[in-house]
Amino acid sequence: QKEVEQNSGPLSVPEGAIASLNCTYSDRGSQSFFWYRQYSGKSPELIMFIYSNGDKEDGRFTAQLNKASQYVSLLIRDSQPSDSATYLCAVNGEDTDKLIFGTGTRLQVFP
Amino acid sequence: EPEVTQTPSHQVTQMGQEVILRCVPISNHLYFYWYRQILGQKVEFLVSFYNNEISEKSEIFDDQFSVERPDGSNFTLKIRSTKLEDSAMYFCASIYGLQETQYFGPGTRLLVL
C-alpha cells in the first residue's frame, strides 16, 4: 500500500515567521510531488510542484525534495493569517497518474 | 484563466437513490479524474479516464460507480444506489498530459440520508 504521511498538526506560527511542513512517502518510484492548500469546505488548490531533488522557490514558498530520504517539505516564509489552512502533500508514481494524498497538516498563523 | 467546474455544489439524497455528479473539465484537457474526501479524512482517488475509457480505478470504485463522458465537455460520475458512507465531497480534476499538475474543481458535497 503506497502511503503519504504528514503530521496532522495543528502547526501554530506567529505572523511573519517561517512555517515548515513535512511529508514522507513510501513509494520509491514516485516521480512528481505536489503541495496543495485546502481551506475548510473548499477544493485543493495547487501551491507548488517539484520533480527533481533540491529546492524550488516560488515567491514566499519553497518546496524541498529529497528522493533518497523519500521526503518532501514546504517552507512558507513571512507567514500571513491568510495562509491558515490545511496543506496537503500529494504524490504520483512512475506507473500511474493518480495522486496519493496525505492527511494534510493544519497550519494556523496567528497575528 | 480556465477552470474545472462542477455541478451541483450540494446534493442531498436518500439512501438507495441514484445520483449523477457533473464536471466540465478544462477544454483542451485529455485526462479526467474523480476523487472523494469524506469529512475529516484524506482526499482519495476514485477513477481516472482517458480516451473514453477508464484507465485506472481504486477499490472504492465498485460496481455502484460509473463514469461517462457523454459529450465533448461533460464528465460525469454516477452512483447507482447510494449508501450512507458515500456522503463526502467529490472532486473532479483534469490535465492535458500525464505527470502534469491536476487542477481540481470546486467539488460537490453529497449527503446521503
Side-chain angles (χ1 to χ4, degrees), chain A residues 32 36 38 43 46 96-97 99, chain B residues 33 35 37 56 99 102 105:
Chain A
S32 308
Y36 288 85
Q38 187 177 35
S43 65
L46 181 73
T96 178
D97 51 335
L99 291 177
Chain B
Y33 307 85
Y35 293 83
Q37 187 177 31
E56 189 173 357
Q99 300 294 326
Q102 293 184 22

Side-chain angles (χ1 to χ4, degrees), chain A residues 92-105:
Chain A
N92 64 15
E94 61 182 334
D95 57 352
T96 178
D97 51 335
K98 73 181 182 191
L99 291 177
I100 300 172
F101 282 84
T103 52
T105 297

Side-chain angles (χ1 to χ4, degrees), chain A residues 55-76:
Chain A
D55 294 1
K56 180 181 178 185
E57 188 174 317
D58 183 0
R60 296 188 295 115
F61 300 95
T62 298
Q64 300 173 316
L65 173 61
N66 183 326
K67 288 188 178 181
S69 301
Q70 295 174 241
Y71 177 91
V72 196
S73 66
L74 179 70
L75 299 178
I76 306 174

